Protein backbone atom coordinates (compact mmCIF):
# COMPACT_ATOMS: atom_id res chain seq x y z
CA UNK A 1 0.00 0.00 0.00
CA UNK A 2 1.38 3.41 -1.00
CA UNK A 3 1.99 5.79 1.87
CA UNK A 4 1.20 9.48 1.59
CA UNK A 5 4.22 11.74 2.09
CA UNK A 6 3.23 15.41 2.17
CA UNK A 7 5.85 18.18 2.14
CA UNK A 8 4.75 21.39 3.85
CA UNK A 9 7.27 24.02 2.81
CA UNK A 10 5.48 26.68 4.88
CA UNK A 11 6.74 30.21 4.00
CA UNK A 12 9.97 28.85 2.42
CA UNK A 13 12.20 29.27 0.49
CA UNK A 14 12.52 33.00 -0.10
CA UNK A 15 13.09 32.73 -3.86
CA UNK A 16 11.39 30.59 -6.50
CA UNK A 17 14.78 29.62 -7.93
CA UNK A 18 15.68 27.97 -4.61
CA UNK A 19 12.43 26.01 -4.73
CA UNK A 20 13.26 24.87 -8.26
CA UNK A 21 16.65 23.70 -7.03
CA UNK A 22 14.99 21.55 -4.37
CA UNK A 23 12.56 20.03 -6.89
CA UNK A 24 15.38 19.35 -9.33
CA UNK A 25 17.30 17.57 -6.57
CA UNK A 26 14.29 15.36 -5.81
CA UNK A 27 13.44 14.63 -9.42
CA UNK A 28 14.33 11.10 -10.47
CA UNK A 29 15.41 10.12 -6.96
CA UNK A 30 11.98 9.72 -5.43
CA UNK A 31 11.24 6.12 -6.39
CA UNK A 32 7.45 6.22 -6.79
CA UNK A 33 6.80 3.56 -4.13
CA UNK A 34 4.83 6.15 -2.17
CA UNK A 35 2.59 9.07 -3.07
CA UNK A 36 4.55 12.30 -2.67
CA UNK A 37 2.76 15.65 -2.52
CA UNK A 38 4.63 18.96 -2.45
CA UNK A 39 2.88 21.95 -0.86
CA UNK A 40 5.01 25.01 -1.67
CA UNK A 41 3.99 28.65 -1.20
CA UNK A 42 0.99 29.12 -3.53
CA UNK A 43 2.68 31.96 -5.41
CA UNK A 44 5.21 29.44 -6.81
CA UNK A 45 2.59 26.91 -7.90
CA UNK A 46 1.95 28.03 -11.48
CA UNK A 47 5.61 27.82 -12.41
CA UNK A 48 6.18 24.59 -10.50
CA UNK A 49 3.22 22.92 -12.18
CA UNK A 50 4.49 24.00 -15.58
CA UNK A 51 8.02 22.75 -14.95
CA UNK A 52 7.47 19.80 -12.60
CA UNK A 53 3.81 18.87 -13.07
CA UNK A 54 4.84 15.54 -14.64
CA UNK A 55 7.16 14.69 -11.76
CA UNK A 56 5.20 15.61 -8.63
CA UNK A 57 1.72 16.04 -7.26
CA UNK A 58 1.20 19.48 -5.76
CA UNK A 59 -0.97 20.89 -3.01
CA UNK A 60 -1.43 24.14 -1.12
CA UNK A 61 -1.11 25.02 2.54
CA UNK A 62 -4.42 26.80 3.08
CA UNK A 63 -7.53 28.12 1.33
CA UNK A 64 -10.50 30.38 2.02
CA UNK A 65 -14.08 29.28 2.70
CA UNK A 66 -15.64 31.22 -0.17
CA UNK A 67 -15.07 30.58 -3.88
CA UNK A 68 -14.75 34.21 -5.02
CA UNK A 69 -15.47 37.77 -4.05
CA UNK A 70 -14.10 40.70 -2.08
CA UNK A 71 -11.69 38.78 0.17
CA UNK A 72 -8.37 40.49 -0.40
CA UNK A 73 -5.39 38.18 -0.20
CA UNK A 74 -7.34 34.93 -0.09
CA UNK A 75 -7.37 32.01 -2.55
CA UNK A 76 -10.32 29.68 -3.02
CA UNK A 77 -10.65 25.91 -3.47
CA UNK A 78 -11.85 26.32 -7.06
CA UNK A 79 -8.83 28.48 -7.91
CA UNK A 80 -6.55 25.84 -6.43
CA UNK A 81 -8.25 23.11 -8.42
CA UNK A 82 -8.21 25.13 -11.63
CA UNK A 83 -4.45 25.58 -11.51
CA UNK A 84 -3.90 21.83 -11.18
CA UNK A 85 -3.12 21.28 -7.51
CA UNK A 86 -4.69 18.19 -5.92
CA UNK A 87 -4.37 18.60 -2.16
CA UNK A 88 -5.13 21.35 0.33
CA UNK A 89 -3.95 21.47 3.94
CA UNK A 90 -6.47 23.01 6.32
CA UNK A 91 -6.38 23.77 10.03
CA UNK A 92 -2.60 23.64 10.39
CA UNK A 93 -1.64 24.59 13.93
CA UNK A 94 0.28 27.62 12.66
CA UNK A 95 -2.93 28.85 10.97
CA UNK A 96 -4.81 28.23 14.21
CA UNK A 97 -2.30 29.89 16.54
CA UNK A 98 -0.80 32.72 14.45
CA UNK A 99 -3.81 33.57 12.26
CA UNK A 100 -6.44 32.71 14.88
CA UNK A 101 -8.37 30.30 12.70
CA UNK A 102 -11.04 28.39 14.54
CA UNK A 103 -12.82 25.05 14.06
CA UNK A 104 -15.89 26.75 12.63
CA UNK A 105 -13.88 28.35 9.79
CA UNK A 106 -12.03 25.09 9.18
CA UNK A 107 -15.38 23.30 8.96
CA UNK A 108 -16.56 25.83 6.33
CA UNK A 109 -13.39 25.26 4.31
CA UNK A 110 -13.80 21.50 4.53
CA UNK A 111 -17.46 21.63 3.40
CA UNK A 112 -16.64 23.85 0.45
CA UNK A 113 -13.70 21.70 -0.65
CA UNK A 114 -15.71 18.48 -0.43
CA UNK A 115 -18.90 19.86 -1.95
CA UNK A 116 -17.50 21.88 -4.82
CA UNK A 117 -14.11 20.46 -5.82
CA UNK A 118 -12.20 17.20 -6.20
CA UNK A 119 -9.35 18.44 -4.03
CA UNK A 120 -8.23 16.19 -1.20
CA UNK A 121 -8.37 18.07 2.12
CA UNK A 122 -5.70 17.34 4.72
CA UNK A 123 -7.31 18.22 8.04
CA UNK A 124 -4.78 18.94 10.79
CA UNK A 125 -5.63 18.33 14.43
CA UNK A 126 -3.56 17.98 17.57
CA UNK A 127 -3.06 19.10 21.13
CA UNK A 128 -0.59 21.68 22.43
CA UNK A 129 1.93 21.11 25.21
CA UNK A 130 -0.30 22.33 28.04
CA UNK A 131 -3.16 20.16 26.86
CA UNK A 132 -0.86 17.11 26.63
CA UNK A 133 0.52 17.76 30.12
CA UNK A 134 -3.00 18.16 31.49
CA UNK A 135 -3.86 14.78 29.87
CA UNK A 136 -6.48 16.41 27.67
CA UNK A 137 -5.27 15.06 24.32
CA UNK A 138 -8.33 12.89 23.74
CA UNK A 139 -10.76 15.70 24.60
CA UNK A 140 -8.93 18.18 22.37
CA UNK A 141 -8.85 15.99 19.29
CA UNK A 142 -12.45 14.87 19.91
CA UNK A 143 -13.57 18.51 20.03
CA UNK A 144 -11.57 19.41 16.91
CA UNK A 145 -12.94 16.44 14.97
CA UNK A 146 -16.53 17.00 16.05
CA UNK A 147 -16.46 20.69 15.16
CA UNK A 148 -14.46 20.43 11.93
CA UNK A 149 -16.55 17.51 10.63
CA UNK A 150 -19.90 19.04 11.54
CA UNK A 151 -22.38 18.23 8.75
CA UNK A 152 -19.80 16.31 6.74
CA UNK A 153 -21.56 13.08 5.64
CA UNK A 154 -20.09 9.67 6.30
CA UNK A 155 -19.71 8.97 2.58
CA UNK A 156 -17.17 11.81 2.28
CA UNK A 157 -14.95 10.68 5.11
CA UNK A 158 -12.72 8.49 2.93
CA UNK A 159 -11.89 11.56 0.81
CA UNK A 160 -10.33 13.33 3.79
CA UNK A 161 -6.80 12.85 5.12
CA UNK A 162 -6.57 13.43 8.85
CA UNK A 163 -3.17 14.65 9.99
CA UNK A 164 -2.46 14.11 13.67
CA UNK A 165 0.06 16.82 14.48
CA UNK A 166 0.77 17.40 18.15
CA UNK A 167 1.62 21.11 18.32
CA UNK A 168 4.52 20.52 20.70
CA UNK A 169 6.20 18.31 18.09
CA UNK A 170 5.95 20.71 15.15
CA UNK A 171 9.27 22.28 14.23
CA UNK A 172 10.76 21.43 17.62
CA UNK A 173 12.81 18.32 16.85
CA UNK A 174 10.83 16.57 19.59
CA UNK A 175 8.66 13.94 17.93
CA UNK A 176 5.88 11.89 19.45
CA UNK A 177 6.96 8.43 20.57
CA UNK A 178 5.51 5.27 19.07
CA UNK A 179 3.03 4.72 21.91
CA UNK A 180 1.75 8.30 21.73
CA UNK A 181 1.23 8.10 17.96
CA UNK A 182 -0.53 4.74 18.19
CA UNK A 183 -2.66 6.07 21.04
CA UNK A 184 -3.65 9.12 19.00
CA UNK A 185 -4.44 6.97 15.99
CA UNK A 186 -6.69 4.70 18.07
CA UNK A 187 -8.37 7.72 19.63
CA UNK A 188 -9.10 9.25 16.23
CA UNK A 189 -10.65 6.00 14.98
CA UNK A 190 -12.78 5.69 18.14
CA UNK A 191 -13.92 9.32 17.98
CA UNK A 192 -14.90 8.96 14.32
CA UNK A 193 -16.75 5.71 15.01
CA UNK A 194 -18.64 7.55 17.77
CA UNK A 195 -19.47 10.48 15.48
CA UNK A 196 -20.46 8.23 12.56
CA UNK A 197 -20.56 4.47 13.11
CA UNK A 198 -18.32 1.41 13.05
CA UNK A 199 -18.55 1.03 9.28
CA UNK A 200 -16.01 3.83 8.78
CA UNK A 201 -13.33 2.11 10.87
CA UNK A 202 -11.16 0.98 7.94
CA UNK A 203 -11.93 3.89 5.64
CA UNK A 204 -10.01 6.62 7.41
CA UNK A 205 -6.63 7.92 6.27
CA UNK A 206 -4.57 9.06 9.23
CA UNK A 207 -1.09 10.51 8.87
CA UNK A 208 1.36 11.87 11.44
CA UNK A 209 3.24 15.17 11.45
CA UNK A 210 5.70 16.65 13.93
CA UNK A 211 9.47 16.61 13.49
CA UNK A 212 9.44 13.67 11.08
CA UNK A 213 12.95 13.02 9.81
CA UNK A 214 15.04 10.34 8.11
CA UNK A 215 15.73 8.67 11.46
CA UNK A 216 12.17 8.35 12.75
CA UNK A 217 10.26 7.74 9.51
CA UNK A 218 10.54 3.96 9.88
CA UNK A 219 9.04 4.10 13.38
CA UNK A 220 6.12 6.25 12.18
CA UNK A 221 5.32 4.23 9.06
CA UNK A 222 6.24 0.67 10.02
CA UNK A 223 6.02 0.87 13.82
CA UNK A 224 2.85 2.93 14.12
CA UNK A 225 1.28 1.81 10.83
CA UNK A 226 0.36 5.35 9.89
CA UNK A 227 -0.98 5.98 6.38
CA UNK A 228 1.66 8.60 5.79
CA UNK A 229 3.41 11.69 7.14
CA UNK A 230 3.26 15.47 6.92
CA UNK A 231 6.80 16.80 6.83
CA UNK A 232 7.85 20.39 7.45
CA UNK A 233 11.53 21.16 8.05
CA UNK A 234 12.95 17.94 6.60
CA UNK A 235 11.04 18.41 3.34
CA UNK A 236 13.32 21.35 2.47
CA UNK A 237 16.44 19.17 2.75
CA UNK A 238 16.47 17.09 -0.45
CA UNK A 239 18.82 14.34 0.80
CA UNK A 240 16.71 13.76 3.90
CA UNK A 241 13.41 14.08 2.08
CA UNK A 242 14.41 11.50 -0.55
CA UNK A 243 15.08 8.97 2.24
CA UNK A 244 11.70 9.79 3.78
CA UNK A 245 9.88 9.45 0.44
CA UNK A 246 11.53 6.13 -0.39
CA UNK A 247 10.62 4.44 2.93
C1 LIG B 1 4.35 20.77 9.77
O1 LIG B 1 4.62 21.88 9.39
O2 LIG B 1 3.21 20.31 9.58
C2 LIG B 1 5.38 19.99 10.44
C3 LIG B 1 5.07 18.79 10.86
O3 LIG B 1 6.60 20.56 10.58
P1 LIG B 1 7.96 19.82 11.09
O4 LIG B 1 8.10 18.56 10.31
O5 LIG B 1 9.04 20.81 10.83
O6 LIG B 1 7.77 19.53 12.54
Amino acid sequence: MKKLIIANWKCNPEKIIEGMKILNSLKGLVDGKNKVVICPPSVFLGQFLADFGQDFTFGVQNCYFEQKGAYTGEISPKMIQSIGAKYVIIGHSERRSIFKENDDEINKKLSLILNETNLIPVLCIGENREEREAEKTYQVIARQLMNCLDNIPKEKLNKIVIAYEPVWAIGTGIYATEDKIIDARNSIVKILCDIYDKSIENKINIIYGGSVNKENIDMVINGCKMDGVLVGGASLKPKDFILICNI
Side-chain angles (χ1 to χ4, degrees):
M1 230 329 232
K2 280 196 176 196
K3 300 291 178 179
L4 181 62
I5 316 284
I6 305 179
N8 175 15
W9 283 10
K10 312 191 188 198
C11 191
N12 298 296
E14 283 179 24
K15 296 179 185 154
I16 190 166
I17 190 81
E18 297 167 37
M20 299 233 178
K21 249 171 127 174
I22 296 175
L23 294 177
N24 267 318
S25 313
L26 300 178
K27 206 172 141 177
L29 292 174
V30 170
D31 65 16
K33 254 190 308 195
N34 297 307
K35 171 98 190 159
V36 176
V37 179
I38 311 283
C39 300
S42 301
V43 72
F44 296 164
L45 256 186
Q47 190 66 52
F48 284 3
L49 277 156
D51 292 356
F52 299 95
Q54 304 297 322
D55 307 294
F56 303 103
T57 299
F58 286 94
V60 298
Q61 302 167 18
N62 181 35
C63 70
Y64 194 50
F65 52 73
E66 297 285 348
Q67 295 293 27
K68 60 176 184 165
Y71 308 110
T72 303
E74 295 295 333
I75 56 169
S76 77
K78 273 196 180 160
M79 292 171 188
I80 296 161
Q81 175 164 282
S82 78
I83 199 169
K86 304 285 183 217
Y87 285 72
V88 50
I89 299 171
I90 52 172
H92 191 279
S93 72
E94 285 151 18
R95 300 290 324 167
R96 292 175 189 259
S97 65
I98 303 169
F99 303 100
K100 309 295 170 216
E101 275 183 19
N102 60 39
D103 286 344
D104 181 45
E105 290 162 330
I106 297 162
N107 171 249
K108 286 189 200 155
K109 295 179 185 194
L110 189 58
S111 301
L112 191 65
I113 294 163
L114 291 170
N115 291 335
E116 299 187 19
T117 71
N118 296 319
L119 294 170
I120 299 176
V122 181
L123 170 64
C124 300
I125 56 167
E127 82 288 0
N128 63 28
R129 180 177 304 283
E130 295 75 49
E131 292 160 342
R132 164 66 63 177
E133 282 168 3
E135 295 180 6
K136 290 196 172 140
T137 300
Y138 187 90
Q139 285 150 268
V140 171
I141 59 179
R143 190 195 64 226
Q144 291 173 334
L145 284 171
M146 254 173 325
N147 293 340
C148 295
L149 294 170
D150 189 34
N151 280 321
I152 303 294
K154 182 169 90 171
E155 298 67 41
K156 302 235 160 144
L157 211 54
N158 64 354
K159 299 199 162 64
I160 305 171
V161 175
I162 295 178
Y164 170 61
E165 294 211 298
V167 182
W168 48 269
I170 297 178
T172 58
I174 305 164
Y175 53 90
T177 48
E178 190 166 335
D179 57 324
K180 286 195 176 74
I181 298 175
I182 292 172
D183 235 40
R185 186 189 166 88
N186 292 340
S187 298
I188 291 167
V189 173
K190 182 180 178 324
I191 293 160
L192 293 177
C193 285
D194 287 347
I195 298 175
Y196 296 93
D197 59 58
K198 268 254 182 219
S199 67
I200 54 99
E201 202 167 2
N202 298 315
K203 296 187 182 139
I204 316 161
N205 305 298
I206 308 173
I207 65 174
Y208 168 79
S211 295
V212 169
N213 58 35
K214 61 181 170 21
E215 276 85 33
N216 60 29
I217 182 70
D218 183 61
M219 177 273 285
V220 177
I221 294 295
N222 295 319
C224 306
K225 305 269 178 282
M226 297 303 275
D227 299 310
V229 284
L230 183 45
V231 188
S235 70
L236 292 157
K237 300 177 191 157
K239 281 188 188 145
D240 293 24
F241 192 58
I242 289 164
L243 292 174
I244 292 171
C245 292
N246 294 346
I247 179 78

